[in-house]
């Protein structure tokens, strides 16, 4: 009830001829709502009361990096995942999965490598793993740490597969049967932060191996010349 009252107080229809006054009202309300972790934001020509997102360092760093390289797809998927975590964790898991998929597709496009037949998160990650030197079976680290490095790289594969499996079983993109039981928001956040860490690692390794070479935003790989 209180939510509707606050949203009604900033209804744009009441300020059609006074847009500046409307902006002032929204700013005033948001200054006070901030202390309750809330804010008013525009949504489909109305105002909606939403929670203020607090991002962990890894998701914040990924968001900043995505913005810095004009990676709008990743930014959009990450924002969608964070916003959905509390209210719709299934959608959040789907969006988290899409973050990694978008990064992998972009690398495959730039390297002119065809997409795998199955374009799920696991297949896309495996396709970029060798070009980026992330294949645990081909690691050539110093003898005293080679097994440790292989274990870390194998753990990345496990994380990717687990995020993909979680999406398959509960993700919003796959529909919901009668009696469907929602997953805990905490699990969705684990998926979001794990996917963010993986995507950030992939981008950073790309930048190390190909300094100054930007990732494209195309959705399909180039035709080989």
């Amino acid at each position: 009830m209180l939510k509707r009252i606050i949203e009604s107080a900033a209804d744009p229809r009441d300020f059609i001829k006074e847009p500046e006054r409307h902006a002032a009202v929204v700013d005033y309300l948001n200054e006070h709502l901030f202390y309750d972790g809330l804010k008013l934001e525009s949504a489909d020509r109305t105002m909606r009361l939403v929670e203020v997102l607090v991002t962990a360092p890894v998701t914040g760093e990924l968001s900043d990096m995505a913005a810095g390289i004009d990676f709008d797809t990743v930014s959009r998927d990450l924002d969608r995942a964070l916003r959905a975590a509390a209210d719709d964790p299934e959608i959040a898991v789907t969006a988290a999965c899409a973050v990694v998929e978008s990064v992998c597709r972009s690398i495959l496009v730039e390297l002119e490598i065809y997409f795998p037949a199955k374009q799920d998160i696991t297949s896309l990650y495996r396709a970029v793993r060798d070009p980026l030197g992330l294949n645990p079976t081909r690691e050539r680290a110093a003898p005293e740490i080679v097994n440790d490095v292989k274990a870390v790289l194998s753990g990345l594969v496990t994380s990717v597969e687990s995020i993909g499996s979680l999406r398959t079983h509960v993700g919003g993109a796959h529909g919901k049967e009668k009696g469907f039981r929602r997953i805990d928001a905490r699990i969705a956040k684990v998926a979001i932060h794990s996917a963010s860490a993986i995507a950030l690692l992939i981008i950073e390794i790309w930048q190390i191996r190909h300094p100054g070479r930007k990732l494209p935003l195309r959705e399909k790989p180039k035709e080989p010349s």
Side-chain angles (χ1 to χ4, degrees):
M1 184 67 175
L2 181 59
K3 179 176 183 290
R4 293 177 61 183
I5 292 174
I6 295 174
E7 291 174 343
S8 296
D11 191 329
R13 291 172 294 185
D14 296 331
F15 302 89
I16 292 176
K17 296 182 179 180
E18 300 177 288
E20 293 182 358
R21 183 164 170 258
H22 178 253
V25 169
V26 172
D27 289 342
Y28 174 81
L29 290 172
N30 279 339
E31 285 179 5
H32 292 77
L33 290 169
F34 172 80
Y35 296 99
D36 294 313
L38 301 169
K39 69 175 181 178
L40 281 165
E41 65 176 27
S42 179
D44 298 327
R45 291 176 289 184
T46 62
M47 299 303 297
R48 183 173 299 171
L49 187 64
V50 299
E51 290 186 34
V52 176
L53 297 177
V54 179
T55 60
V58 66
T59 52
E61 188 174 351
L62 175 60
S63 182
D64 291 343
M65 179 173 285
I69 61 177
D70 197 25
F71 219 150
D72 56 346
T73 304
V74 171
S75 297
R76 187 166 55 250
D77 287 332
L78 182 58
D79 183 65
R80 183 163 62 105
L82 290 169
R83 290 188 180 281
D87 298 328
D88 198 336
E90 294 81 27
I91 291 295
V93 170
T94 296
C97 205
V99 168
V100 179
E101 292 170 347
S102 295
V103 173
C104 291
R105 286 194 188 95
S106 189
I107 288 176
L108 293 175
V109 168
E110 181 61 19
L111 295 178
E112 299 187 6
I113 298 175
Y114 280 118
F115 289 174
K118 189 176 182 181
Q119 293 184 40
D120 59 359
I121 184 174
T122 299
S123 300
L124 288 166
Y125 176 75
R126 289 182 181 277
V128 303
R129 191 175 60 178
D130 282 346
L132 295 180
L134 293 173
N135 192 331
T137 64
R138 299 184 181 181
E139 179 54 42
R140 297 179 180 177
E144 63 271 20
I145 63 169
V146 65
N147 289 333
D148 300 325
V149 174
K150 285 182 178 180
V152 171
L153 294 178
S154 295
L156 278 175
V157 176
T158 300
S159 295
V160 168
E161 291 175 344
S162 298
I163 294 170
S165 180
L166 185 61
R167 179 196 183 183
T168 298
H169 292 133
V170 303
H174 295 273
K176 301 172 183 177
E177 299 176 359
K178 186 176 181 180
F180 179 83
R181 185 174 182 178
R182 300 175 70 86
I183 62 170
D184 194 300
R186 292 172 296 177
I187 300 301
K189 289 182 179 180
V190 169
I192 293 169
H193 296 311
S194 297
S196 297
I198 293 167
L200 184 61
L201 173 67
I202 292 172
I203 293 174
E204 288 181 340
I205 290 178
W206 168 267
Q207 292 178 333
I208 291 171
R209 285 181 165 250
H210 305 280
R213 189 172 175 182
K214 291 186 177 182
L215 290 172
L217 301 179
R218 294 185 298 275
E219 290 295 325
K220 296 181 180 179
K222 298 177 182 177
E223 292 292 335
S225 55

